[in-house]
């Protein structure tokens, strides 16, 4: 890619189109050696990749396929010459929670030492959800869980609305994931290294991934994500260039291979979380704080839908991708609903194979970077 935005494609290039209704992804081969140009007049982009690294991603080559697809998107979207317009990507890997690393104290508040029967200390003692209830004591992690209260479905700054704590099962198959959030950056090597190091484990709290995908794009979080990582103002989304194209687009890409099954009460997985979220012995004896009678036992799905709607209302474009042959109808419905303009089906993808997943990510990447064939 040259400074002028021109690139010679020396290998076969595929232009990707999607079947309507989310049935899959098809591809149209174009001739090798075609010259492609990034339409830089399309403005800058801020992208958050919300990536499923749950235990089911260990099956077959799913994790490797996702890594390859995500890396391909980064290589396409983060162009070399950013003197006129910029392209930044944030990474939000999620499983049972989202690991925020050194940001934990800033976004959730300080933690007291010792053990307590209320959340907020280094160790939390609670009653589990087994029929013969027993006391359990879990330690705090650097992961975050969902907000509660009036700001649960907003991008309000954490200075006034802290995120939830996370007390995972020690040494279990449902840990705080090791992969951490990477704020917006144009450092391609940093992004590719983080993706390459992903490991799969744990259940699926997709709503927490969605929330952090939003936070990474929100100017209200510029006190947390500073410098190069500070998201631009929402007002930039409505500014146009001389050709009428937006000066900035904020885009979230949500990928999952299954149902959202994990929600929280007091920082511990709630007893009404779904199948695959662990056993009652490691659940707390209370239902998810952010629950809804419309979605009984499906708090994560309920929260995901509300968060997606709120993000889109701010002008954020959402692409969603389901991956695998076993994605349930409820999960497909959620992904369709989360996507921008769900009635049109243009932002929702269903990929059953690794090749189709790569094609879906490539299609989204080309849309983001406004790549087109000049001859």
């Amino acid at each position: 890619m040259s400074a002028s935005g021109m690139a010679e494609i020396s290998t076969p290039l595929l232009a990707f189109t999607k079947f309507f209704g989310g049935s899959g992804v098809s591809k149209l081969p174009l001739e090798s050696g075609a010259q492609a140009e990034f339409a830089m007049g399309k403005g800058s982009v801020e992208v958050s990749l919300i990536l499923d690294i749950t235990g089911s991603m260990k099956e077959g080559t799913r994790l490797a396929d996702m890594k390859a697809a995500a890396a391909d998107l980064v290589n396409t979207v983060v162009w070399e010459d950013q003197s006129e317009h910029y392209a930044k990507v944030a990474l939000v890997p999620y499983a049972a929670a989202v690991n925020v690393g050194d940001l934990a104290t800033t976004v959730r508040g300080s933690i007291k030492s010792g053990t307590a029967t209320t959340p907020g200390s280094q160790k939390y003692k609670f009653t589990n959800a087994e029929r013969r209830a027993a006391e359990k004591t879990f330690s705090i992690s650097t992961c975050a869980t969902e907000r509660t209260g009036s700001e649960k479905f907003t991008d309000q700054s954490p200075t006034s609305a802290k995120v939830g704590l996370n007390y995972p099962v020690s040494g279990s198959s449902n840990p705080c994931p090791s992969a951490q959030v990477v704020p917006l950056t144009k450092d391609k090597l940093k992004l590719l290294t983080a993706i390459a190091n992903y490991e799969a484990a744990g259940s699926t709290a997709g709503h927490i991934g969605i929330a952090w995908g939003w936070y990474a794009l929100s100017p209200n979080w510029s006190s947390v994500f500073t410098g190069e990582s500070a998201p631009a103002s929402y007002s930039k989304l409505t500014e146009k260039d001389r050709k009428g194209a937006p000066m900035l687009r904020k885009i979230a890409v949500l990928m999952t291979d299954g149902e959202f099954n994990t929600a929280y009460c007091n920082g511990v997985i709630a007893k009404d979380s779904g199948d695959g979220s662990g056993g009652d012995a490691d659940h707390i004896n209370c239902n998810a704080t952010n629950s809804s009678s419309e979605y009984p036992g499906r708090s994560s799905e309920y929260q995901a839908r509300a968060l997606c709607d709120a993000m889109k209302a701010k002008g954020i474009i959402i692409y969603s991708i389901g991956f695998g042959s076993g994605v349930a109808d409820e999960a497909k419905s959620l992904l369709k609903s989360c996507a921008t303009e769900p009635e049109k089906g243009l932002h929702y993808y269903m990929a059953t194979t690794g090749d189709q997943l790569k094609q879906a990510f490539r299609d989204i990447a080309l849309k983001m970077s406004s790549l087109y064939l000049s001859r």
Side-chain angles (χ1 to χ4, degrees):
M1 177 63 65
S2 70
S4 66
M6 302 296 291
E8 287 289 339
I9 306 299
S10 58
T11 55
L13 179 68
L14 296 176
F16 302 107
T17 57
K18 186 170 64 66
F19 292 127
F20 292 105
S23 59
V25 181
S26 63
K27 55 187 177 182
L28 174 65
L30 301 172
E31 291 182 3
S32 298
Q35 189 178 60
E37 179 183 352
F38 276 115
M40 304 303 284
K42 292 295 186 180
S44 300
V45 290
E46 295 177 354
V47 182
S48 62
L49 296 183
I50 308 165
L51 302 173
D52 185 333
I53 56 167
T54 59
S56 56
M57 289 292 290
K58 291 180 180 178
E59 295 182 16
T61 61
R62 286 187 191 180
L63 185 62
D65 291 334
M66 184 271 282
K67 289 180 180 182
D72 188 38
L73 183 145
V74 168
N75 279 319
T76 303
V77 170
V78 184
W79 51 74
E80 297 300 327
D81 179 14
Q82 303 209 19
S83 58
E84 184 177 358
H85 301 293
Y86 69 84
K88 299 178 183 178
V89 175
L91 301 177
V92 183
Y94 70 91
V98 170
N99 192 339
V100 298
D102 293 339
L103 299 175
T105 299
T106 301
V107 300
R108 72 184 184 195
S110 58
I111 301 298
K112 301 175 183 177
S113 61
T115 302
T117 55
T118 55
S121 295
Q122 188 65 33
K123 294 184 178 182
Y124 175 39
K125 183 184 290 187
F126 63 93
T127 302
N128 71 7
E130 285 185 307
R131 181 173 298 179
R132 295 184 177 181
E135 283 193 343
K136 288 291 184 87
T137 301
F138 290 172
S139 296
I140 196 76
S141 76
T142 56
C143 272
T145 59
E146 60 258 46
R147 273 177 167 163
T148 59
S150 61
E151 305 293 349
K152 59 189 175 187
F153 301 139
T154 77
D155 61 341
Q156 181 65 36
S157 168
T159 58
S160 58
K162 300 298 184 186
V163 302
L165 307 175
N166 176 237
Y167 292 95
V169 186
S170 177
S172 76
S173 60
N174 210 8
C176 168
S178 58
Q180 298 182 7
V181 169
V182 176
L184 286 171
T185 181
K186 54 188 176 183
D187 185 337
K188 191 179 295 187
L189 179 59
K190 182 177 183 179
L191 293 165
L192 295 176
T193 300
I195 292 168
N197 288 329
Y198 285 167
E199 297 178 350
S203 57
T204 312
H207 64 293
I208 303 173
I210 292 169
W212 278 88
W214 185 7
Y215 302 157
L217 299 175
S218 171
N220 295 331
W221 280 65
S222 58
S223 63
V224 176
F225 304 125
T226 59
E228 179 195 60
S229 298
S233 170
Y234 286 129
S235 65
K236 296 290 185 182
L237 298 175
T238 57
E239 294 182 9
K240 307 291 185 180
D241 64 15
R242 64 181 182 275
K243 295 182 180 179
M247 294 294 290
L248 172 70
R249 288 167 294 157
K250 291 178 183 279
I251 300 171
V253 180
L254 168 64
M255 174 265 159
T256 187
D257 74 339
E259 291 183 78
F260 294 178
N261 57 19
T262 301
Y264 286 81
C265 175
N266 291 340
V268 180
I269 297 176
K271 71 176 181 180
D272 62 343
S273 289
D275 292 343
S277 63
D280 288 345
D282 296 323
H283 290 179
I284 194 170
N285 193 29
C286 54
N287 289 334
T289 304
N290 296 339
S291 59
S292 168
S293 58
E294 187 178 355
Y295 296 92
R298 293 152 55 199
S299 173
S300 183
E301 177 187 347
Y302 157 65
Q303 294 180 73
R305 288 176 181 270
L307 288 163
C308 286
D309 287 345
M311 289 173 69
K312 290 183 287 186
K314 290 287 190 178
I316 295 172
I317 299 167
I318 302 179
Y319 291 93
S320 62
I321 308 170
F323 180 36
S325 58
V327 179
D329 289 342
E330 287 181 354
K332 293 178 181 178
S333 173
L334 168 62
L335 290 170
K336 290 176 184 177
S337 174
C338 270
T340 291
E341 298 181 323
E343 69 282 357
K344 294 183 179 180
L346 299 176
H347 295 77
Y348 162 69
Y349 299 77
M350 187 62 226
T352 57
T353 68
D355 284 343
Q356 287 184 349
L357 182 70
K358 294 168 189 174
Q359 291 164 19
F361 270 85
R362 175 65 62 84
D363 188 47
I364 294 168
L366 298 185
K367 289 175 181 177
M368 286 184 198
S369 55
S370 304
L371 184 69
Y372 66 90
L373 293 178
S374 61
R375 61 175 173 82

